[in-house]
Amino acid sequence: MLIYDVKLEFIDKTIYSSFLVWLKDHISIMLSFEGFEKADLEDNFKEKNTIRIKYHVKSEKDLNNYICNHSEKMRSEGLKLFKNSFKASRKTYPLKS
C-alpha cells in the first residue's frame, strides 16, 4: 500500500470556497481509478493556506497506471479552472503499518 500525497498551496486565497467544492468532486473521480482505495483530506487553510490529500493506493502498478493514463487530464482540470491561483506538489511513500 502506498500513499500518494498531494499538497495544495493557495496563492489566491479568494478561491478557497469554490476550490473546495471542485476538489470534493475531483477526489471522487480519483477514487474511481483502479487501486485508489481511500482519500484523507487535511484542510489546513486557516493555519497554513494549504490542503493535503493523502490517497491510499493499493500498489505501485496502480499508481503508475494513474500517472501514465489519467494524471495529465486530472491535473489540467484544476489548472483550467483556477489557473495560477494555487500550486501543487506530490510525493509518494509506503504506508506504515
Side-chain angles (χ1 to χ4, degrees):
M1 182 73 69
L2 298 170
I3 297 295
Y4 178 51
D5 187 340
V6 181
K7 181 180 177 185
L8 306 165
E9 297 179 65
F10 291 89
I11 296 164
D12 177 355
K13 297 173 190 167
T14 65
I15 69 163
Y16 172 76
S17 294
S18 56
F19 191 92
L20 200 56
V21 169
W22 170 82
L23 183 60
K24 289 182 180 185
D25 287 336
H26 179 83
I27 291 171
S28 293
I29 296 167
M30 291 290 291
L31 292 175
S32 73
F33 295 125
E34 187 172 341
F36 280 69
E37 298 186 342
K38 176 182 168 184
D40 296 323
L41 184 115
E42 296 174 10
D43 189 339
N44 296 310
F45 179 74
K46 290 180 182 174
E47 299 85 16
K48 299 179 183 177
N49 295 326
T50 64
I51 293 176
R52 174 172 257 135
I53 306 99
K54 294 181 179 179
Y55 295 100
H56 296 238
V57 185
K58 196 172 189 176
S59 70
E60 196 167 330
K61 179 183 173 190
D62 292 326
L63 181 60
N64 288 336
N65 177 57
Y66 164 74
I67 290 169
C68 292
N69 299 304
H70 306 289
S71 66
E72 187 176 331
K73 179 180 184 237
M74 294 301 289
R75 293 173 185 179
S76 68
E77 290 173 357
L79 292 171
K80 182 179 170 185
L81 289 170
F82 301 103
K83 308 206 179 344
N84 294 323
S85 298
F86 74 100
K87 62 182 178 176
S89 58
R90 298 161 184 88
K91 62 184 177 181
T92 59
Y93 49 88
L95 179 65
K96 296 177 183 175
S97 336

